[in-house]
Amino acid sequence: MEKLIEILRELHPEVDFETEEHLIDNGIFDSFDIVTLVSEIREEYDVTIGVQNLVPENLNSAEALYALIKRLEDGE
């Protein structure tokens, strides 16, 4: 989770990713951020986030995003 927080902070250092739960709903992440995030996650965790997983419930918080990464690592 620590590496994910680092990736997120590179995108938006002004956001408290430990507590923020509405990254998509509040417009903190735009489409460019999402593309960058998906690429960084692929490089760091060796998982591919497919289009079907690019939904707010998977991207609204660091915790939700980390849960998605873990599911993909486990072969979802």
Side-chain angles (χ1 to χ4, degrees), residues 17-34:
F17 289 103
E18 304 287 338
T19 61
E20 180 61 57
E21 295 182 351
H22 302 284
L23 296 168
I24 299 296
D25 295 340
N26 288 342
I28 295 168
F29 282 164
D30 61 20
S31 57
F32 181 75
D33 292 329
I34 293 169

Side-chain angles (χ1 to χ4, degrees), residues 17-59:
F17 289 103
E18 304 287 338
T19 61
E20 180 61 57
E21 295 182 351
H22 302 284
L23 296 168
I24 299 296
D25 295 340
N26 288 342
I28 295 168
F29 282 164
D30 61 20
S31 57
F32 181 75
D33 292 329
I34 293 169
V35 169
T36 302
L37 185 58
V38 167
S39 176
E40 292 287 329
I41 288 170
R42 182 180 43 225
E43 288 179 29
E44 180 63 32
Y45 292 95
D46 196 30
V47 296
T48 300
I49 299 176
V51 174
Q52 71 277 11
N53 289 314
L54 295 178
V55 294
E57 58 263 19
N58 287 335
L59 303 172

